[in-house]
Short mmCIF file of all heavy atoms in Angstrom, two decimals:
data_model
loop_
_atom_site.label_atom_id
_atom_site.label_comp_id
_atom_site.label_asym_id
_atom_site.label_seq_id
_atom_site.Cartn_x
_atom_site.Cartn_y
_atom_site.Cartn_z
N LYS A 261 28.41 13.89 26.43
CA LYS A 261 27.42 13.71 27.50
C LYS A 261 27.17 15.02 28.26
O LYS A 261 26.05 15.35 28.58
CB LYS A 261 27.87 12.62 28.48
CG LYS A 261 28.07 11.26 27.84
CD LYS A 261 26.75 10.60 27.52
CE LYS A 261 27.01 9.19 27.05
NZ LYS A 261 26.15 8.74 26.04
N ILE A 262 28.22 15.74 28.53
CA ILE A 262 28.10 17.00 29.27
C ILE A 262 27.55 18.10 28.36
O ILE A 262 26.68 18.87 28.75
CB ILE A 262 29.48 17.43 29.84
CG1 ILE A 262 29.96 16.40 30.85
CG2 ILE A 262 29.41 18.82 30.46
CD1 ILE A 262 31.42 16.57 31.25
N MET A 263 28.06 18.16 27.13
CA MET A 263 27.69 19.23 26.20
C MET A 263 26.22 19.19 25.81
O MET A 263 25.65 20.21 25.44
CB MET A 263 28.58 19.18 24.95
CG MET A 263 30.05 19.42 25.21
SD MET A 263 30.44 21.05 25.83
CE MET A 263 30.27 21.99 24.34
N ASP A 264 25.59 18.01 25.91
CA ASP A 264 24.16 17.90 25.60
C ASP A 264 23.32 18.80 26.49
O ASP A 264 22.24 19.24 26.10
CB ASP A 264 23.68 16.45 25.75
CG ASP A 264 24.06 15.59 24.57
OD1 ASP A 264 24.36 16.14 23.49
OD2 ASP A 264 24.06 14.35 24.72
N TYR A 265 23.82 19.09 27.67
CA TYR A 265 23.06 19.89 28.64
C TYR A 265 23.43 21.38 28.61
O TYR A 265 22.79 22.17 29.29
CB TYR A 265 23.28 19.34 30.05
CG TYR A 265 22.78 17.92 30.19
CD1 TYR A 265 23.67 16.85 30.18
CD2 TYR A 265 21.42 17.64 30.29
CE1 TYR A 265 23.22 15.54 30.28
CE2 TYR A 265 20.96 16.35 30.38
CZ TYR A 265 21.86 15.30 30.38
OH TYR A 265 21.41 14.01 30.48
N LEU A 266 24.45 21.73 27.85
CA LEU A 266 24.90 23.12 27.83
C LEU A 266 24.40 23.84 26.58
O LEU A 266 24.39 23.27 25.49
CB LEU A 266 26.43 23.17 27.86
CG LEU A 266 27.11 22.57 29.08
CD1 LEU A 266 28.62 22.61 28.92
CD2 LEU A 266 26.69 23.32 30.35
N PRO A 267 24.00 25.10 26.74
CA PRO A 267 23.63 25.87 25.55
C PRO A 267 24.88 26.29 24.79
O PRO A 267 25.98 26.29 25.35
CB PRO A 267 22.92 27.09 26.15
CG PRO A 267 23.52 27.25 27.50
CD PRO A 267 23.85 25.85 27.97
N GLY A 268 24.71 26.61 23.54
CA GLY A 268 25.84 27.08 22.75
C GLY A 268 25.65 26.78 21.28
O GLY A 268 24.72 26.06 20.90
N PRO A 269 26.54 27.29 20.46
CA PRO A 269 26.41 27.11 19.01
C PRO A 269 26.56 25.66 18.55
O PRO A 269 26.15 25.31 17.45
CB PRO A 269 27.51 27.98 18.43
CG PRO A 269 28.46 28.24 19.54
CD PRO A 269 27.69 28.11 20.80
N HIS A 270 27.11 24.81 19.42
CA HIS A 270 27.27 23.40 19.05
C HIS A 270 25.91 22.72 18.82
O HIS A 270 25.82 21.73 18.11
CB HIS A 270 28.07 22.64 20.10
CG HIS A 270 27.42 22.58 21.44
ND1 HIS A 270 27.39 23.66 22.29
CD2 HIS A 270 26.74 21.58 22.07
CE1 HIS A 270 26.73 23.33 23.39
NE2 HIS A 270 26.33 22.07 23.29
N ASN A 271 24.86 23.25 19.39
CA ASN A 271 23.53 22.66 19.23
C ASN A 271 22.94 22.86 17.83
O ASN A 271 22.04 22.14 17.44
CB ASN A 271 22.57 23.21 20.29
CG ASN A 271 22.93 22.71 21.68
OD1 ASN A 271 23.15 21.53 21.87
ND2 ASN A 271 23.01 23.62 22.63
N LYS A 272 23.47 23.81 17.07
CA LYS A 272 22.98 24.06 15.71
C LYS A 272 23.31 22.90 14.77
O LYS A 272 22.67 22.73 13.75
CB LYS A 272 23.57 25.35 15.16
CG LYS A 272 23.09 26.59 15.89
CD LYS A 272 23.75 27.83 15.32
CE LYS A 272 23.36 29.04 16.14
NZ LYS A 272 24.13 30.21 15.77
N ILE A 273 24.32 22.13 15.13
CA ILE A 273 24.73 21.04 14.24
C ILE A 273 23.63 20.00 14.08
O ILE A 273 23.52 19.36 13.04
CB ILE A 273 26.05 20.39 14.72
CG1 ILE A 273 26.66 19.58 13.58
CG2 ILE A 273 25.84 19.53 15.95
CD1 ILE A 273 28.09 19.18 13.80
N PHE A 274 22.77 19.87 15.09
CA PHE A 274 21.71 18.87 15.00
C PHE A 274 20.72 19.20 13.90
O PHE A 274 20.22 18.31 13.21
CB PHE A 274 21.02 18.69 16.35
CG PHE A 274 21.97 18.23 17.42
CD1 PHE A 274 22.26 19.04 18.51
CD2 PHE A 274 22.61 17.01 17.32
CE1 PHE A 274 23.16 18.63 19.48
CE2 PHE A 274 23.52 16.58 18.28
CZ PHE A 274 23.79 17.40 19.37
N ALA A 275 20.44 20.48 13.70
CA ALA A 275 19.55 20.89 12.60
C ALA A 275 20.20 20.58 11.26
O ALA A 275 19.53 20.15 10.32
CB ALA A 275 19.23 22.38 12.71
N GLU A 276 21.52 20.77 11.18
CA GLU A 276 22.24 20.45 9.94
C GLU A 276 22.21 18.94 9.67
O GLU A 276 22.02 18.51 8.54
CB GLU A 276 23.68 20.97 10.00
CG GLU A 276 23.81 22.46 10.07
CD GLU A 276 23.37 23.18 8.81
OE1 GLU A 276 23.30 22.56 7.72
OE2 GLU A 276 23.09 24.39 8.90
N PHE A 277 22.41 18.15 10.72
CA PHE A 277 22.34 16.69 10.55
C PHE A 277 20.93 16.26 10.13
O PHE A 277 20.77 15.36 9.31
CB PHE A 277 22.76 15.96 11.83
CG PHE A 277 24.24 15.79 11.99
CD1 PHE A 277 24.87 16.19 13.15
CD2 PHE A 277 25.00 15.22 10.99
CE1 PHE A 277 26.24 16.04 13.30
CE2 PHE A 277 26.37 15.07 11.13
CZ PHE A 277 26.99 15.48 12.29
N ASP A 278 19.90 16.90 10.69
CA ASP A 278 18.53 16.57 10.32
C ASP A 278 18.27 16.87 8.85
O ASP A 278 17.62 16.09 8.15
CB ASP A 278 17.53 17.33 11.21
CG ASP A 278 17.49 16.79 12.63
OD1 ASP A 278 17.99 15.66 12.86
OD2 ASP A 278 16.98 17.51 13.51
N ALA A 279 18.80 17.99 8.37
CA ALA A 279 18.64 18.34 6.95
C ALA A 279 19.36 17.32 6.06
O ALA A 279 18.83 16.90 5.02
CB ALA A 279 19.18 19.74 6.69
N LEU A 280 20.54 16.89 6.48
CA LEU A 280 21.29 15.88 5.72
C LEU A 280 20.54 14.55 5.72
O LEU A 280 20.42 13.89 4.67
CB LEU A 280 22.69 15.71 6.31
CG LEU A 280 23.60 14.69 5.65
CD1 LEU A 280 23.83 15.03 4.18
CD2 LEU A 280 24.93 14.61 6.39
N LYS A 281 20.01 14.16 6.87
CA LYS A 281 19.23 12.91 6.96
C LYS A 281 18.00 12.97 6.06
O LYS A 281 17.66 11.98 5.41
CB LYS A 281 18.80 12.65 8.40
CG LYS A 281 19.90 12.17 9.31
CD LYS A 281 19.31 11.91 10.69
CE LYS A 281 20.34 12.03 11.77
NZ LYS A 281 19.77 11.94 13.11
N ALA A 282 17.34 14.11 6.01
CA ALA A 282 16.15 14.27 5.17
C ALA A 282 16.52 14.12 3.69
O ALA A 282 15.79 13.46 2.93
CB ALA A 282 15.49 15.62 5.42
N PHE A 283 17.64 14.69 3.29
CA PHE A 283 18.09 14.58 1.90
C PHE A 283 18.36 13.12 1.54
O PHE A 283 17.89 12.62 0.52
CB PHE A 283 19.36 15.42 1.69
CG PHE A 283 19.87 15.39 0.28
CD1 PHE A 283 19.45 16.33 -0.63
CD2 PHE A 283 20.78 14.42 -0.13
CE1 PHE A 283 19.92 16.31 -1.94
CE2 PHE A 283 21.25 14.39 -1.43
CZ PHE A 283 20.83 15.34 -2.34
N VAL A 284 19.10 12.44 2.41
CA VAL A 284 19.44 11.03 2.16
C VAL A 284 18.18 10.16 2.19
O VAL A 284 18.01 9.27 1.37
CB VAL A 284 20.50 10.53 3.15
CG1 VAL A 284 20.74 9.04 3.01
CG2 VAL A 284 21.82 11.29 2.95
N ALA A 285 17.28 10.43 3.13
CA ALA A 285 16.03 9.65 3.24
C ALA A 285 15.21 9.76 1.96
O ALA A 285 14.64 8.77 1.50
CB ALA A 285 15.22 10.11 4.44
N GLU A 286 15.17 10.94 1.38
CA GLU A 286 14.44 11.13 0.13
C GLU A 286 15.06 10.30 -0.99
O GLU A 286 14.35 9.65 -1.77
CB GLU A 286 14.45 12.61 -0.23
CG GLU A 286 13.62 12.96 -1.45
CD GLU A 286 13.69 14.45 -1.78
OE1 GLU A 286 13.74 15.27 -0.84
OE2 GLU A 286 13.68 14.76 -2.98
#
């Protein structure tokens, strides 16, 4: 909940999850 508002490298994981979701969706 707190980390959602903070900048940092942890935010890059969402792009990786989106790529994984796109692969599975296909």
